[in-house]
């Protein structure tokens, strides 16, 4: 039995550019893996593919990134066997945290290891790009600057160790609809500076990183969901530096002091699921039970 832990992703910076012929938007993003994990348990003794999601309804299994990643790898490398996979889901779905992409990345890692394919992270990422825009980053993990649709990655220095509160209200935000709403804005008013973010990370300067947080999609999503806007404003008043991750609806915050401790003491569950995470240096981590 082999287990793989796939890390959630937050967007420290997300700039949205022109829509490409592929239907994806060109983006510039600084992505960071954090310590909130799904787990995939692999049993290669089985001879029929099966995805076990327990009592959680994760939608049509044939469309799950785990299934799609397996089928793609099996086709590309003419794999002779099947696999039973149990998916333990902890990362909220449709939350801007790349949970599904991470699951697909873990599947790619597991197949590569078991069948001794010898594929590099770059090669796994190229395959993952056929599954989804965030899969290449989830394959690599850590801290990275992403361009194109998200598949062109530049590794950045490790992120400063810090406490990161992250809340998910349970609101499901469609990525497609978020980008469509952004496209309809008469004035995009793009004021972010990805160079400032990258330089702050290279300097290992958390206050400067906090000052450079930016997300082009935040305005349209928060306008549609006032409770998210209220959540962000509350965290600003507490002295935190909050930002919506990806297309939403999760909001995280960087803490440059110990203000997160009071937040933890006063949190009310009706405001959403609150996690306290830290930066991690890998998107997928393997654990083999002895």
């Amino acid at each position: 039995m082999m287990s793989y832990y796939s890390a959630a992703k937050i967007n420290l910076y997300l700039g949205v550019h022109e829509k490409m012929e592929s239907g994806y938007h060109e983006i510039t993003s600084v992505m960071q893996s954090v310590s909130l994990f799904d787990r995939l348990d692999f049993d290669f003794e089985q001879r029929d593919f099966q995805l076990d999601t327990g009592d959680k309804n994760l939608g049509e299994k044939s469309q799950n990134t785990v299934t799609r990643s397996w089928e793609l790898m099996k086709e590309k490398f003419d794999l002779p066997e099947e696999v039973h996979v149990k998916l333990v889901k902890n990362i909220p779905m449709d939350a801007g945290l790349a949970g599904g992409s991470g699951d697909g990345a873990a599947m790619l890692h597991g197949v590569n290891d078991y069948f001794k394919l010898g594929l590099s992270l770059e090669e796994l990422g190229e395959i993952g790009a056929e599954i989804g825009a965030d899969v290449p980053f989830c394959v690599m993990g850590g801290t990275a600057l992403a361009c194109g649709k998200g598949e062109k990655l530049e590794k950045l220095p490790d992120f400063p160790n810090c406490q990161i509160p992250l809340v998910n209200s349970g609101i499901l935000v469609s990525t497609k609809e978020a980008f469509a709403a952004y496209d309809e804005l008469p004035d995009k008013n793009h004021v972010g500076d990805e160079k400032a973010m990258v330089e702050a990370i290279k300097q290992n300067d958390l206050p400067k990183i906090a000052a450079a947080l930016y997300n082009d999609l935040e305005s349209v999503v928060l306008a549609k969901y006032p409770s998210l806007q209220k959540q962000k404003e509350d965290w600003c008043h507490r002295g935190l530096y909050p930002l919506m991750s990806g297309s939403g609806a999760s909001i995280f915050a960087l803490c440059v002091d110990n203000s997160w401790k009071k937040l933890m003491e006063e949190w009310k569950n009706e405001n959403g699921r609150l996690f306290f995470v830290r930066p991690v240096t890998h998107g997928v981590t393997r654990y083999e039970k002895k």
Side-chain angles (χ1 to χ4, degrees):
M1 179 73 72
M2 293 193 304
S3 295
Y4 288 77
Y5 290 84
S6 59
K9 170 261 337 171
I10 57 174
N11 297 85
L12 302 165
Y13 181 95
L14 177 57
V16 180
H17 311 300
E18 296 299 318
K19 193 172 185 178
M20 299 181 288
E21 291 184 3
S22 64
Y24 284 97
H25 285 75
E26 187 172 356
I27 66 164
T28 303
S29 183
V30 177
M31 301 180 179
Q32 175 62 50
S33 302
V34 295
S35 59
L36 175 60
F37 304 97
D38 286 347
R39 191 184 83 231
L40 274 70
D41 297 328
F42 290 81
D43 183 356
F44 285 97
E45 298 301 317
Q46 301 290 331
R47 290 297 178 262
D48 295 313
F49 177 80
Q50 182 180 349
L51 173 60
D52 178 5
T53 58
D55 58 358
K56 292 190 177 181
N57 180 10
L58 303 182
E60 180 58 49
K61 290 184 179 180
S62 65
Q63 296 305 307
N64 191 285
T65 53
V66 173
T67 304
R68 292 166 57 210
S69 295
W70 166 251
E71 292 178 345
L72 185 58
M73 291 289 275
K74 182 169 181 169
E75 177 185 353
K76 283 183 177 292
F77 300 101
D78 193 25
L79 302 179
E81 303 173 30
E82 300 288 348
V83 59
H84 180 113
V85 183
K86 180 179 180 181
L87 171 58
V88 181
K89 194 73 182 164
N90 297 308
I91 302 172
M93 297 174 60
D94 297 319
L97 302 174
S101 296
D103 298 338
M107 188 72 199
L108 297 178
H109 273 274
V111 173
N112 185 46
D113 290 347
Y114 179 78
F115 290 101
K116 296 181 172 58
L117 300 177
L119 300 172
S120 66
L121 290 179
E122 290 74 16
E123 290 168 324
L124 284 178
E126 289 175 3
I127 295 172
E130 300 182 40
I131 303 297
D134 284 338
V135 179
F137 170 75
C138 293
V139 165
M140 181 177 74
T143 314
L145 173 66
C147 299
K149 66 177 185 180
E151 84 285 9
K152 299 175 182 178
L153 300 171
E154 176 188 340
K155 188 74 172 173
L156 296 175
D158 291 344
F159 199 80
N161 187 30
C162 63
Q163 193 70 247
I164 304 175
L166 185 155
V167 62
N168 179 259
S169 63
I171 295 173
L172 302 181
V173 177
S174 164
T175 299
K176 183 177 180 180
E177 291 177 6
F179 276 94
Y182 180 77
D183 286 340
E184 293 174 2
L185 290 177
D187 181 8
K188 298 297 190 292
N189 194 31
H190 179 88
V191 296
D193 184 353
E194 71 270 18
K195 293 181 180 179
M197 173 61 76
V198 170
E199 186 59 30
I201 291 173
K202 290 180 178 179
Q203 293 176 7
N204 200 42
D205 190 323
L206 188 59
K208 285 186 178 180
I209 294 171
L213 291 171
Y214 182 79
N215 185 341
D216 266 332
L217 297 179
E218 189 179 63
S219 62
V220 293
V221 175
L222 267 55
K224 185 175 181 180
Y225 301 101
S227 63
L228 299 180
Q229 178 67 46
K230 185 174 181 297
Q231 180 66 71
K232 183 179 179 183
E233 290 174 353
D234 177 66
W235 281 11
C236 284
H237 293 154
R238 289 176 176 270
L240 306 177
Y241 293 82
L243 188 74
M244 184 184 81
S245 183
S247 57
S250 299
I251 294 176
F252 69 91
L254 298 184
C255 306
V256 298
D257 53 27
N258 290 325
S259 54
W260 60 271
K261 291 184 178 180
K262 188 175 182 180
L263 171 65
M264 181 171 62
E265 294 169 356
E266 298 178 351
W267 187 257
K268 296 179 180 179
N269 291 334
E270 59 263 29
N271 293 331
R273 295 177 66 191
L274 179 65
F275 305 90
F276 283 91
V277 301
R278 290 185 177 275
V280 295
T281 57
H282 296 86
V284 177
T285 305
R286 173 180 172 176
Y287 172 77
E288 188 165 357
K289 189 175 181 180
K290 302 299 184 182

